[in-house]
Amino acid sequence: MIHTINPAALNRYANAYAKHTCDTFFSQQDSVSGKDMVSFTDIPQVNYLILFKLFTNWKQEAGRLQSPYFDYSQDEVKSALENLMNTLSRFIMVKQEAFEPLVADAVSATIELLLSPRNQFVSILKYIDFEPLTIQRLQDHTRYIRINRTVWESLIAKLQSTGLESSDVLSLDKAIAVLEDILTSEEITLDDPEEYIAQFSALVPLEVSELEKIEEEKKPEPEKKVSTSGSFFDTLGDDLPVSSQEKVVKPLPKIQPKTEPLPIENKSTETKPIENQPIDSKPIITPELPPVALNVIHEVKAEDVKVDIEEFAKAANKPLVSVLSVKKKMEETTLNDTLNKDLTTLNEKLRKEDSTFIEKAQNQPITSIKDALNLNQKYYFINSLFGGDNIAFAQAIYELEQTKDMDTAMKLLQVKYAHSLGWDLQSEEYIAFIDVIERKFIS
């Protein structure tokens, strides 16, 4: 029977189990070695998944040694790097604060292999797909799987039956499809979880019912009553911001135009009241003023001014040598300013051309986000956005590849990853990640 697991409940149990086992072990010694990990718990699958998690971190450490200043593709460098990493793997010493999270992850993965094997096998496939997915790499990971191992071996056998060679690269979608066919067939019998649950419960009690996901029923929201009488403005409340209520715009006072009486010709000597006089409606003609001649100021250029240095020195009451020295410095300053200006203009032009080239490269469309990222970029995004969890990164890339447009991709990131992982949406790493995703949807 395949169960649906509540991730929060599973994590709580895994953390409790890891703390109990680590407190017991580290009360006797300060650190754990590679040999200690092989038999750390009474459940072999937990121990091998601890080693699997450690192997994952070991590979990431090797990836971080890449540098743009050195050629890591040379055979001599590859051999030396491999020897270094192999030597380090023989001297594993881990403190409790670093080891306990590895144990918790291994416990969580083991229980998932028991109760929901499909999810855990897909997670392992996504991790392997971090590099080219081949049958050889699937075979290499067989050593870490103890529970429901027949499922993994059947997956490899079915992929080989399709004619693929061990080194042929296969798609993640195809591997998952074959896995699901195996899990739904009647040929495979899954391991009975009861034996393993009893082993877990010997240290920390484990109830499967507590791990099953319980969906809370959503209560229907009460319908808002909409009044059919009255106007829209009657529905407005008093919850406006205080600042907008305090701002009262006073109407400007009306400006009354000043009217002056027009001159009226008196044809008779008699004086009549103004209000009884007819108003002449002819337009008033303003006489044109003669043009005013303005003095034209001509621009004087510095090179047009001729200065007699000897006369200037006498007028300024300064020695001739001192004046010549000042003149020489001024000429040098002018030349330096000109050269610096030309150099700055050239640098700006080169920077602009270089920036244009980079922008063109960054705006090139891509068909696959995973294939567009090199190894350094993958490790950069894993560490800066996904907290070092390459499985979560692989899951996000897989889901992004399935989206049909940029809007759907952004909604996926915001709903599932941005909040839970605490992304800073203004950070350089987030913007760089979005730039890569956008290139997939360039038409």
Side-chain angles (χ1 to χ4, degrees):
M1 180 180 179
I2 297 178
H3 300 261
T4 302
I5 299 177
N6 182 350
L10 178 60
N11 289 337
R12 283 195 299 270
Y13 180 83
N15 290 334
Y17 189 93
K19 180 171 176 54
H20 179 83
T21 53
C22 286
D23 286 346
T24 303
F25 180 88
F26 287 100
S27 64
Q28 304 296 325
Q29 54 193 79
D30 294 333
S31 56
V32 58
S33 66
K35 292 181 179 180
D36 295 328
M37 294 179 191
V38 178
S39 57
F40 184 75
T41 71
D42 295 333
I43 306 173
Q45 182 62 86
V46 173
N47 303 332
Y48 277 93
L49 284 178
I50 291 173
L51 294 170
F52 175 71
K53 300 293 181 181
L54 187 64
F55 173 75
T56 302
N57 295 341
W58 178 73
K59 292 283 287 184
Q60 288 185 0
E61 289 293 334
R64 292 192 189 102
L65 293 176
Q66 301 294 324
S67 168
Y69 306 111
F70 305 100
D71 187 1
Y72 281 78
S73 63
Q74 296 297 321
D75 292 336
E76 187 176 354
V77 177
K78 287 182 178 179
S79 177
L81 183 59
E82 184 177 357
N83 290 334
L84 170 63
M85 298 307 295
N86 288 336
T87 302
L88 288 173
S89 68
R90 291 193 292 271
F91 292 90
I92 297 173
M93 297 297 289
V94 188
K95 300 290 185 182
Q96 180 173 356
E97 57 269 19
F99 185 65
E100 192 170 313
L102 293 179
V103 179
D105 287 344
V107 170
S108 177
T110 299
I111 295 175
E112 198 167 37
L113 268 178
L114 282 170
L115 303 180
S116 184
R118 189 261 182 199
N119 291 342
Q120 185 54 219
F121 280 129
V122 168
S123 295
I124 296 174
L125 284 174
K126 287 178 179 178
Y127 163 72
I128 300 175
D129 189 52
F130 179 67
E131 297 178 15
L133 183 61
T134 63
I135 293 178
Q136 181 61 53
R137 297 189 66 233
L138 294 179
Q139 291 171 332
D140 292 341
H141 283 75
T142 305
R143 73 188 75 172
Y144 300 109
I145 298 173
R146 292 291 181 270
I147 294 176
N148 290 322
R149 187 168 182 165
T150 55
V151 176
W152 191 258
E153 292 172 342
S154 298
L155 171 64
I156 295 174
K158 281 207 170 188
L159 290 172
Q160 288 175 328
S161 66
T162 61
L164 288 172
E165 298 292 335
S166 296
S167 58
D168 290 342
V169 178
L170 57 103
S171 70
L172 178 61
D173 289 338
K174 181 176 181 179
I176 293 176
V178 173
L179 172 66
E180 290 177 340
D181 288 342
I182 293 171
L183 290 172
T184 55
S185 69
E186 297 180 356
E187 301 174 2
I188 295 296
T189 302
L190 299 177
D191 293 344
D192 185 4
E194 293 300 328
E195 175 186 351
Y196 297 97
I197 291 173
Q199 289 179 303
F200 278 114
S201 298
L203 292 180
V204 179
L206 173 60
E207 294 290 340
V208 175
S209 59
E210 295 181 2
L211 300 180
E212 291 179 345
K213 188 174 183 179
I214 301 173
E215 297 288 346
E216 295 183 359
E217 295 184 2
K218 294 183 179 179
K219 297 180 180 180
E221 296 183 0
E223 296 183 1
K224 295 181 179 180
K225 295 182 178 180
V226 180
S227 175
T228 57
S229 61
S231 69
F232 163 77
F233 300 98
D234 294 332
T235 64
L236 298 179
D238 297 327
D239 53 349
L240 294 174
V242 175
S243 57
S244 62
Q245 287 183 347
E246 290 178 348
K247 290 181 180 178
V248 179
V249 180
K250 296 182 179 180
L252 296 176
K254 292 184 179 180
I255 301 176
Q256 298 294 338
K258 295 181 179 180
T259 55
E260 295 181 358
L262 298 176
I264 301 172
E265 292 184 6
N266 293 330
K267 292 185 180 180
S268 64
T269 56
E270 295 180 4
T271 303
K272 297 181 180 180
I274 291 177
E275 57 271 14
N276 294 331
Q277 295 291 332
I279 298 175
D280 188 1
S281 60
K282 292 181 181 181
I284 301 173
I285 300 175
T286 305
E288 295 184 1
L289 297 175
V292 179
L294 301 176
N295 294 328
V296 180
I297 301 175
H298 297 280
E299 181 182 0
V300 179
K301 298 181 179 180
E303 57 267 23
D304 296 336
V305 179
K306 307 296 183 181
V307 179
D308 189 327
I309 297 299
E310 294 184 1
E311 292 297 329
F312 177 78
K314 290 179 181 179
N317 196 22
K318 298 288 184 180
L320 180 59
V321 175
S322 175
V323 174
L324 290 173
S325 175
V326 172
K327 180 175 179 292
K328 183 179 180 182
K329 289 182 179 179
M330 292 176 63
E331 291 174 349
E332 290 176 351
T333 302
T334 304
L335 178 60
N336 289 335
D337 291 343
T338 303
L339 291 175
N340 289 335
K341 182 179 179 181
D342 293 341
L343 182 60
T344 302
T345 304
L346 178 60
N347 288 336
E348 289 176 351
K349 183 178 180 181
L350 291 175
R351 280 197 298 270
K352 184 177 180 181
E353 292 177 354
D354 186 44
S355 175
T356 303
F357 174 77
I358 294 173
E359 288 175 358
K360 286 182 179 179
Q362 291 176 339
N363 292 329
Q364 292 297 318
I366 59 176
T367 56
S368 169
I369 299 173
K370 184 187 73 175
D371 295 341
L373 297 172
N374 60 39
L375 192 60
N376 286 340
Q377 288 174 318
K378 289 179 181 178
Y379 282 123
Y380 172 69
F381 290 133
I382 286 172
N383 294 321
S384 60
L385 292 176
F386 292 87
D389 188 347
N390 58 320
I391 300 295
F393 170 78
Q395 172 74 19
I397 295 299
Y398 174 75
E399 292 175 350
L400 287 169
E401 299 281 18
Q402 312 306 313
T403 55
K404 61 182 180 179
D405 52 42
M406 191 60 192
D407 289 341
T408 308
M410 290 300 297
K411 288 178 181 177
L412 170 68
L413 291 177
Q414 291 169 3
V415 171
K416 189 168 183 180
Y417 295 99
H419 178 70
S420 61
L421 294 173
W423 287 353
D424 178 4
L425 304 187
Q426 305 299 323
S427 64
E428 293 182 1
E429 57 269 19
Y430 175 79
I431 294 173
F433 190 50
I434 296 302
D435 287 343
V436 177
I437 298 170
E438 284 182 337
R439 291 168 57 194
K440 185 178 187 302
F441 302 105
I442 295 177
S443 56

